[in-house]
Amino acid sequence: MTRKFPKTVTKAIKGHTNLNEFDTIRLWVAAGGRCEMCNDLLTESPLTFEPLNRAERAHIIGQGGPKAPRHHPIDSELKADQIDNVMLLCFDCHHEIDRRSTDPEFSVEKLQAIKRQHEERIWYLTDLKPKRTRIVAFTTNIQQNLGEDCTQQTTSLSFREMRDAVMPDFFPDQGDASRLAFRPTTPESPEHWSELRKSIKRKWERLDLEEIEHLSIFCLGKMPAVAYFGRLVGSTTTLRTMNVQVGGPVRWRDASQVADDFSFELDPPPAHLNATNDVVLCLSLSGLIEDRQFRQAVPADAPVIHLRTPEGHRHKNFLIAKKQLGEFRRAFSHTLSLIQERFGQECRIHLMMAAPTPIVFEVGRQHQAHHPTLLLYNCISQQFHFAFTLEPA
Ligand SMILES: [Zn+2]
């Protein structure tokens, strides 16, 4: 779509419209100095990269008599020199839209839409705040039981999607994420979890936090590992927990988009004390956790408490706004205090999580030394298995 042509030709074609000087500047700025069709940079030669003005101003509704492309008996004269009717294009694209002016692909409406979309994109990209953030991508593989086989499914996060999710509030401070990726291949065992925690700690400590202004953290992987990572990160750093949904990283939406009837609901803790002071806490947030999924793994008489989302909102992508993350923090902290009040300082909480990873990360961050001990469970094929105890911060 690019080619070099003599400056004299450029000059002749460029005189085609009579935009005033300020509108000409506005058009250049709105287009970002790029062709509004093919996005080619219009200020340099595509061959030698030397400075060269390759821009042409193309009428959408053509001017210059009935034979002009996309001519209109009234609007052609009325809109001739209005900025809304002019596109900044390269020679090839200008030639193309005029040669195929009867093609529905290049109708007035289509060209107006192309111009609008290009200018909106340029506006959005140049509206970035200069605040810089380090994107941290935390991933572990996920173990899945598929029939007889136990396989490790590798997970990854695309930098492009993470970058889009942090913008426009922040701009990445480097061309890729700091990746904390873990792919242990051993079957789950105490040694497996111990090795995994060691390598998470090692990689986290290798990040030079003094050089980093701000962190944007994306997590995907085994729940206990994500909670452990949250514990390591704690509250010492300036950071944002970012959202990862089933399809990948997404931008936080505005709080107003959360349904009015959304909340975190707590089953009242049972009144009786049990012998061992073991309590099961189920975070039934993206799905309902059922007794049969963990019964074999916990003391038989342990009472069960659910922190739930309302039934209509209990699905994998319910988390859309940061406001919900704040509400979860309050609900979780309240739940821990309540359990502690009822079952005493020495009680142990067996934690089952059906929750999005930003929430699991917050579980680790929120759990303080004065809270009851948390025993973390990993879910494989609908069954929870004990992973490790989250040590106090
Ligand atoms: Zn072009």
Side-chain angles (χ1 to χ4, degrees):
M1 273 300 224
T2 57
R3 81 178 193 214
K4 197 179 178 186
F5 44 88
K7 283 182 185 180
T8 47
V9 175
T10 323
K11 209 171 178 182
I13 300 169
K14 274 192 313 218
H16 201 59
T17 64
N18 293 314
L19 286 187
N20 67 38
E21 193 184 346
F22 182 53
D23 279 348
T24 305
I25 293 170
R26 285 175 61 209
L27 180 63
W28 271 93
V29 170
R34 291 177 177 275
C35 172
E36 297 193 296
M37 299 278 295
C38 70
N39 205 42
D40 251 22
L41 191 62
L42 297 170
T43 52
E44 65 179 26
S45 157
L47 297 177
T48 64
F49 303 112
E50 283 174 9
L52 174 69
N53 181 358
R54 302 200 295 126
E56 305 197 359
R57 288 169 288 179
H59 283 113
I60 295 177
I61 299 171
Q63 187 203 24
K67 286 193 176 166
R70 297 167 299 278
H71 174 265
H72 185 277
I74 301 163
D75 285 350
S76 279
E77 287 314 307
L78 273 181
K79 298 195 169 170
D81 296 318
Q82 288 181 9
I83 186 170
D84 290 348
N85 189 42
V86 180
M87 296 177 84
L88 200 69
L89 297 181
C90 70
F91 172 86
D92 286 332
C93 291
H94 191 181
H95 181 69
E96 185 79 353
I97 65 164
D98 284 357
R99 186 176 65 83
R100 296 168 59 188
S101 61
T102 52
D103 186 332
E105 274 300 297
F106 298 108
S107 67
V108 168
E109 292 72 25
K110 284 276 169 64
L111 292 179
Q112 283 167 338
I114 291 169
K115 174 182 166 74
R116 187 175 61 249
Q117 282 163 11
H118 179 88
E119 293 179 4
E120 278 173 0
R121 189 168 60 84
I122 296 295
W123 183 89
Y124 173 75
L125 289 170
T126 51
D127 192 46
L128 286 173
K129 311 293 183 289
K131 258 171 111 176
R132 291 160 76 80
T133 190
R134 173 67 54 86
I135 292 178
V136 175
F138 175 93
T139 52
T140 76
N141 48 1
I142 298 170
Q143 196 162 38
Q144 282 191 321
N145 268 332
L146 302 169
E148 294 294 296
D149 301 323
C150 208
T151 59
Q152 298 281 347
Q153 185 192 332
T154 304
T155 54
S156 67
L157 291 164
S158 112
F159 177 67
R160 182 181 279 260
E161 286 173 348
M162 290 189 286
R163 183 196 63 189
D164 289 351
V166 301
M167 296 195 307
D169 301 334
F170 286 88
F171 192 74
D173 67 354
Q174 55 179 28
D176 195 2
S178 290
R179 291 188 182 271
L180 279 64
F182 306 92
R183 296 189 179 87
T185 49
T186 53
E188 290 191 7
S189 63
E191 293 73 37
H192 162 95
W193 289 111
S194 161
E195 278 305 309
L196 183 56
R197 277 179 291 166
K198 272 188 212 152
S199 50
I200 292 172
K201 191 160 189 279
R202 222 172 18 240
K203 285 201 184 179
W204 169 244
E205 287 173 349
R206 237 182 264 157
L207 268 187
D208 191 357
L209 292 176
E210 299 211 338
E211 292 295 309
I212 300 172
E213 288 171 39
H214 179 272
L215 297 172
S216 296
I217 296 185
F218 295 83
C219 299
L220 190 62
K222 298 179 184 184
M223 303 269 166
V226 173
Y228 174 73
F229 181 52
R231 151 60 46 78
L232 271 185
V233 174
S235 56
T236 50
T237 322
T238 314
L239 67 89
R240 285 203 304 177
T241 310
M242 301 303 298
N243 201 5
V244 179
Q245 291 195 337
V246 173
V250 289
R251 191 174 301 144
W252 287 117
R253 287 200 232 155
D254 193 72
S256 64
Q257 295 189 37
V258 179
D260 289 339
D261 61 344
F262 180 86
S263 63
F264 293 97
E265 301 163 353
L266 180 65
D267 286 355
H272 74 279
L273 278 176
N274 62 330
T276 57
N277 280 2
D278 284 289
V279 181
V280 178
L281 174 59
C282 295
L283 300 185
S284 289
L285 307 180
S286 48
L288 186 67
I289 299 172
E290 292 174 27
D291 268 35
R292 58 175 177 80
Q293 293 179 263
F294 57 80
R295 262 301 156 204
Q296 87 296 343
V298 299
D301 60 346
V304 180
I305 299 168
H306 283 267
L307 185 60
R308 316 171 191 263
T309 42
E311 207 179 329
H313 301 286
R314 199 179 301 136
H315 54 81
K316 288 198 185 316
N317 287 339
F318 78 86
L319 184 69
I320 57 169
K322 266 201 321 199
K323 170 189 157 187
Q324 293 168 293
L325 211 52
E327 285 169 0
F328 170 76
R329 277 195 289 265
R330 280 189 293 280
F332 184 62
S333 174
H334 172 70
T335 306
L336 293 183
S337 305
L338 212 68
I339 291 176
Q340 201 166 2
E341 217 171 84
R342 186 68 55 89
F343 299 97
Q345 176 69 39
E346 300 307 313
C347 76
R348 311 190 308 158
I349 299 178
H350 300 257
L351 187 66
M352 316 293 154
M353 297 179 277
T357 53
I359 281 189
V360 176
F361 179 76
E362 290 302 317
V363 163
R365 287 185 78 202
Q366 292 300 306
H367 184 238
Q368 306 290 320
H370 64 270
H371 284 140
T373 303
L374 280 186
L375 284 74
L376 302 181
Y377 286 72
N378 191 40
C379 189
I380 305 171
S381 301
Q382 304 286 317
Q383 285 296 316
F384 285 91
H385 304 267
F386 173 68
F388 56 88
T389 303
L390 196 63
E391 303 301 336

